[in-house]
Amino acid sequence: MIHENLFRVSTSYVILFVIFSSILVVTITNSLQSNIIAIAKQEKNTVMNKITIGTNTTDKIPTTSTTAQSVHQSQSMTVPQSVGTFIWYIVDEAHEDAVNERHKYISDHNPIYLPMNLVIQQGTAISFLDADAPWDTPHPHTINIMDSSNNIVYTTGKLDYTNSSTAKVLPVGQYTIQDTKYPWMKGNLSVVSNPQKSVGNLIMGGFYTPTSQVANNKDNDGGIHPGWLGYYKEQFPKNGFKILDTFNFHYATCKYCPGGFWPDQKTGDHTLIVYSTNQPLKQALNKLGKLVWENVYI
């Protein structure tokens, strides 16, 4: 009888232990799952915040933000792995002589290409967008990319105003870009090695616009160009582009020009816009061509 009672007590303890252990395991599991989900969300938000503008990194996850101000001041931009294509902007008045005609530029920083020095991840494509306005004389551009041995590895072909080139992916290496007609139109491209090549579909680029509305927004043929910062803050989102950052700057060094700026620029106050989009490249380039034409630069 005593043994039977002891057996019953022992069995009861075993059952209680099993129940308690099960509850404890479920509690710990739920807690771990909650923590994992929270950490995953935090890491996702961190990554999204870090890749917003573009970064200086060779890691899978970017670590250093690049602002529009730093692009302007350093004349350089490093884009993150998430960027599938970078649209390289040929600046208005880029054809002007860099030695004798610098006062005609939009700025003495990134005056020819935006930016002058570009660093992209292995697998990222580039496409050129011509924003060098044609009034009164057209200035089409053909841009060659040369490797470290001075071999031409890519050419845009003739680009007229608002036109863009076919996207190109280049091997890892250091490159020089140069216009075939205007030898001072030089820039630098670095394609850096990355264990995980760019596989994203994000498109990124830069854009110039007057900071404020100008008094005369007509070109020499009477066409109206409504572009200025306030206009593009509306039009970029409407056309599927996200404005990631902006930077306002002043450039007016023409000694004999009213206001100190070259008249074709219409103003000495400009804004550098950094943008991105996930829409198809062809669609994005067509829209950007229209946005370039709407700009007031002539």
Side-chain angles (χ1 to χ4, degrees):
M1 187 67 177
I2 293 175
H3 290 291
E4 183 177 336
N5 289 337
L6 288 173
F7 176 77
R8 289 177 181 175
V9 171
S10 299
T11 303
S12 299
Y13 276 118
V14 169
I15 293 173
L16 287 173
F17 176 79
V18 170
I19 293 174
F20 176 79
S21 298
S22 300
I23 293 173
L24 183 61
V25 169
V26 171
T27 302
I28 293 173
T29 301
N30 290 339
S31 178
L32 287 173
Q33 288 177 342
S34 297
N35 289 335
I36 291 171
I37 293 172
I39 292 171
K41 287 182 178 179
Q42 183 178 0
E43 290 179 347
K44 180 180 178 181
N45 291 335
T46 301
V47 172
M48 291 307 295
N49 288 336
K50 288 177 179 176
I51 69 173
T52 298
I53 303 300
T55 63
N56 296 308
T57 182
T58 56
D59 298 329
K60 180 180 178 181
I61 299 176
T63 56
T64 307
S65 294
T66 299
T67 64
Q69 181 176 1
S70 70
V71 172
H72 174 80
Q73 293 175 341
S74 69
Q75 302 193 80
S76 301
M77 184 175 184
T78 301
V79 300
Q81 180 195 351
S82 57
V83 176
T85 304
F86 184 85
I87 299 177
W88 214 339
Y89 185 94
I90 303 172
V91 182
D92 184 38
E93 304 290 6
H95 64 278
E96 298 290 358
D97 191 316
V99 175
N100 301 314
E101 308 291 339
R102 293 188 68 85
H103 60 279
K104 297 182 180 180
Y105 289 152
I106 287 179
S107 173
D108 58 352
H109 286 63
N110 301 305
I112 296 172
Y113 304 102
L114 180 57
M116 295 292 288
N117 307 290
L118 179 66
V119 180
I120 59 176
Q121 306 295 312
Q122 182 180 9
T124 299
I126 57 171
S127 176
F128 289 85
L129 174 63
D130 186 3
D132 192 3
W135 294 276
D136 289 312
T137 304
H139 311 288
H141 294 287
T142 300
I143 309 298
N144 288 340
I145 298 182
M146 293 156 287
D147 62 19
S148 56
S149 299
N150 211 35
N151 298 313
I152 298 175
V153 296
Y154 172 70
T155 184
T156 62
K158 180 182 176 182
L159 293 179
D160 290 315
Y161 181 53
T162 75
N163 289 169
S164 52
S165 67
T166 302
K168 177 68 175 179
V169 176
L170 293 169
V172 171
Q174 302 293 321
Y175 301 90
T176 301
I177 62 172
Q178 185 171 354
D179 190 278
T180 58
K181 183 177 180 180
Y182 309 101
W184 53 85
M185 287 184 60
K186 291 183 178 180
N188 298 294
L189 170 66
S190 297
V191 181
V192 298
S193 177
N194 194 320
Q196 298 187 10
K197 297 180 181 180
S198 172
V199 293
N201 60 355
L202 188 69
I203 297 170
M204 183 178 287
F207 194 92
Y208 279 139
T209 182
T211 305
S212 303
Q213 286 181 298
V214 299
N216 176 14
N217 64 0
K218 294 183 179 180
D219 61 41
N220 296 351
D221 298 326
I224 297 176
H225 300 258
W228 66 286
L229 180 58
Y231 177 81
Y232 287 118
K233 281 186 174 180
E234 294 182 354
Q235 292 302 313
F236 266 67
K238 284 184 179 180
N239 284 275
F241 298 92
K242 180 180 180 180
I243 295 179
L244 302 176
D245 198 25
T246 62
F247 177 68
N248 302 334
F249 59 91
H250 179 80
Y251 183 73
T253 62
C254 181
K255 296 180 180 179
Y256 57 85
C257 299
F261 57 84
W262 185 244
D264 286 357
Q265 302 296 5
K266 301 292 183 104
T267 180
D269 296 304
H270 312 273
T271 299
L272 188 161
I273 297 173
V274 179
Y275 66 84
S276 69
T277 182
N278 284 311
Q279 61 189 299
L281 179 61
K282 183 177 180 180
Q283 183 178 343
L285 289 171
N286 287 338
K287 291 179 179 179
L288 283 168
K290 180 176 180 293
L291 292 171
V292 166
W293 192 91
E294 290 174 344
N295 223 331
V296 74
Y297 303 136
I298 65 169

